[in-house]
Amino acid sequence: MSFRILGTGRALPEYVMTNDEMSTIVDTSDEWIRTRTGIAQRRVCTTESIGDLAVQAAENALQNAGIAAQDLDLIVCATIRGEYFSPSEACVVQKRIGACCPAFDVNAACTGFLYGLDVADGFFARKRVKKVLVVAAENVTNCLDWTDRATCVLFGDGAGAAVLGEGNDLLAIRMESHGNIEALNIPRGENTSPFYQLGSQRPVLHMNGREVYKFAVNAMSSGLIQVIADAGLQQSDIDYVLPHQANQRIIDAACAKLDIPKERCVTNIARYGNISAACIPVLLDEMNRDGRLKPGNLLAMSAFGGGLTAGHCVLRWSKEG
Ligand code: ACO
């Protein structure tokens, strides 16, 4: 027993920030950002909180699944930074949607949604749950150094969600961690204790872009090859690859190492940039709602991110349109 996806949802902030607007803030250009990353614009929170996005994505997924919030047995929220250290963002969502079940966050950076699916799978396997909400919500623009052109151009905000029910559609899943603090980190920030004697760093994203790039291409291609084999499938069986949307060049380089036609690797990075854990569920929701997904389709998902972490899975899509 694993699970099947009953419904999906997404929520993006209203504000669209183009590359041209970005170039009024840091020394960059639309041409540089498009050719190096594939990003044309991103959504940025202005009046929305991360909770607003998570709740809207969750409610859209529940509606798409035809499930009431009261029917949920578990809420897992993937986020790098919720509104509060405590409560968890999952508890914020639980209160606001009116659910009455256990709720907690997972932090695996951009891999968080796939970690969330694996955690949920464990609850299904132990027969502890019948309905689970996995929601990924990110306000990355609140963690950026807006004077650092090498990082601030890459990210955006948003949330995506999936409601899971009992089923057998998760065919294989893998999680990886390769502890590495230097490659990508966001420090906690100031320590308020009068006794604390260590220094503190600004709570903004620091990244060695080239190191993450190399890790990403290898993790994505080798992870997909392994997880497709774990599922007992050939790469040619896969209808769609949903890769983490960090950089179009990473996606192209990773997919070039697979025996899967490029057209089957789906992207929306041009419109949203990297929304961390929310990338894959937002993409999944777009494909669900625009009719691309058909019952029986085989989907391979692959993500990487801070940690360094990576995660990969193969799912059968069985939801009727
Ligand atoms: N505009 C113009 N020039 C820029 C910009 C910019 N926004 N950013 C960097 N440059 C310059 C650099 O200063 C450098 O100039 P120099 O040659 O004079 O020193 C030049 O462009 C090349 O810089 P590189 O870092 O070599 O650029 P690269 O082609 O490697 O692209 C990038 C950088 C886009 C960051 C790439 O390395 C990348 O995508 N890395 C992976 C990042 C990633 O996936 N992060 C998300 C991880 S997920 C998570 O958990 C948050």
Side-chain angles (χ1 to χ4, degrees):
M1 172 71 71
S2 62
F3 59 75
R4 62 189 289 254
I5 295 180
L6 303 177
T8 64
R10 68 180 188 274
L12 284 313
E14 293 258 312
Y15 192 76
V16 177
M17 186 188 189
T18 62
N19 291 343
D20 284 336
E21 184 176 359
M22 187 64 78
S23 64
T24 66
I25 294 180
V26 287
D27 182 14
T28 190
S29 65
D30 178 54
E31 200 263 334
W32 193 96
I33 301 172
R34 276 181 201 264
T35 53
R36 297 295 181 115
T37 72
I39 298 166
Q41 60 183 45
R42 73 285 295 141
R43 301 294 186 94
V44 176
C45 283
T46 53
T47 57
E48 307 90 346
S49 70
I50 188 171
D52 294 337
L53 298 178
V55 166
Q56 196 188 327
E59 287 178 338
N60 289 343
L62 286 165
Q63 193 175 34
N64 188 239
I67 299 290
Q70 297 74 19
D71 295 332
L72 291 172
D73 302 308
L74 178 69
I75 298 172
V76 181
C77 181
T79 186
I80 50 170
R81 182 163 151 187
E83 285 162 278
Y84 308 95
F85 284 129
S86 185
S88 67
E89 203 59 38
C91 285
V92 172
V93 172
Q94 185 217 26
K95 175 181 163 57
R96 289 183 55 184
I97 65 175
C100 43
C101 60
F104 58 85
D105 288 357
V106 294
N107 180 346
C110 303
T111 317
F113 182 71
L114 294 184
Y115 269 55
L117 291 184
D118 203 7
V119 168
D121 183 43
F123 278 80
F124 280 106
R126 288 188 290 131
K127 302 197 188 310
R128 293 283 298 274
V129 293
K130 291 189 187 306
K131 304 278 186 301
V132 176
L133 170 70
V134 181
V135 54
E138 301 284 25
N139 183 193
V140 193
T141 62
N142 185 34
C143 310
L144 297 176
D145 176 350
W146 283 88
T147 63
D148 177 14
R149 67 179 182 175
T151 53
C152 74
V153 303
L154 302 174
F155 297 93
D157 301 324
V163 173
L164 315 178
E166 291 171 296
N168 293 304
D169 288 355
L170 180 69
L171 304 181
I173 189 159
R174 280 179 171 259
M175 294 194 294
E176 298 173 37
S177 298
H178 308 266
N180 180 335
I181 298 159
E182 293 73 30
L184 198 164
N185 65 66
I186 306 172
R188 280 283 190 197
E190 200 184 337
N191 186 308
T192 58
S193 163
F195 298 97
Y196 190 71
Q197 295 183 25
L198 302 178
S200 55
Q201 276 184 287
R202 285 175 67 211
V204 293
L205 188 142
H206 305 267
M207 183 175 69
N208 179 333
R210 285 188 189 176
E211 191 178 347
V212 176
Y213 190 104
K214 277 187 221 148
F215 168 75
V217 172
N218 184 49
M220 209 174 237
S221 54
S222 62
L224 281 167
I225 289 167
Q226 284 168 350
V227 81
I228 292 167
D230 290 349
L233 297 169
Q234 304 295 320
Q235 292 180 39
S236 54
D237 296 328
I238 300 298
D239 294 293
Y240 294 107
V241 177
L242 283 72
H244 176 48
Q245 309 284 304
N247 186 324
Q248 185 69 49
R249 288 190 299 150
I250 292 175
I251 296 170
D252 292 344
C255 289
K257 295 177 181 238
L258 305 174
D259 289 328
I260 300 178
K262 198 173 168 238
E263 317 75 73
R264 294 193 200 168
C265 292
V266 195
T267 64
N268 60 9
I269 187 172
R271 284 176 283 134
Y272 304 129
N274 180 350
I275 36 178
S276 186
C279 285
I280 288 178
V282 166
L283 187 58
L284 183 69
D285 186 54
E286 289 186 336
M287 297 175 72
N288 176 23
R289 288 171 194 265
D290 70 17
R292 255 178 291 178
L293 296 180
K294 306 278 183 264
N297 278 169
L298 291 167
L299 314 181
M301 302 176 178
S302 180
F304 60 87
L308 294 169
T309 57
H312 325 277
C313 76
V314 177
L315 276 166
R316 187 186 302 108
W317 183 260
S318 61
K319 184 176 166 55
E320 298 288 340

